[in-house]
Amino acid sequence: AAPDAKECLLFLGCFGSIICGLYSTIVFSLTVLYGKTALGMDREAAYCYFLEQTAGQRERGYQAFTLSLASFGANILILAVDTLPDKFAPLASVVAFGIFIFGVKEWM
């Protein structure tokens, strides 16, 4: 049987959440690793230069982290709407859409 729209959204949301989460984890892990190494070797100037040069990557890492959280939240909402009784689905959809809009406004 072909997957329905909710299953496709859930799959894409999970995939996006995982990819964004992995990206942000790698960016922040490597930043912390390099930072501790540079500071432990008394190379504050190299550390400051590193922070200046990687500001864009760290900003994208933070955006990926927030997008991963938003996607995870959307996945939870899709599952909630999918498993609720049919009489609650319209109300749950409105609430889910409101929460999604709030998350997008906070992210921007």
Side-chain angles (χ1 to χ4, degrees):
D4 63 354
K6 284 185 256 183
E7 288 176 351
C8 289
L9 281 174
L10 189 61
F11 173 77
L12 291 174
C14 288
F15 183 73
S17 182
I18 290 169
I19 295 299
C20 289
L22 283 173
Y23 177 78
S24 63
T25 300
I26 290 169
V27 166
F28 292 127
S29 295
L30 291 177
T31 300
V32 168
L33 178 67
Y34 183 84
K36 286 183 178 185
T37 301
L39 293 175
M41 297 174 66
D42 290 329
R43 296 187 177 185
E44 288 85 9
Y47 177 66
C48 290
Y49 179 75
F50 171 75
L51 288 179
E52 290 173 9
Q53 296 299 309
T54 59
Q57 288 87 351
R58 289 182 288 116
E59 176 66 27
R60 284 190 295 278
Y62 177 76
Q63 289 173 348
F65 173 70
T66 56
L67 185 60
S68 176
L69 289 179
S71 181
F72 179 73
N75 293 336
I76 297 299
L77 291 172
I78 291 169
L79 283 173
V81 169
D82 192 34
T83 57
L84 284 174
D86 289 340
K87 65 180 181 178
F88 296 118
L91 177 63
S93 297
V94 170
V95 171
F97 184 71
I99 292 171
F100 176 74
I101 294 300
F102 174 76
V104 168
K105 286 185 177 183
E106 286 294 311
W107 185 54
M108 299 290 176

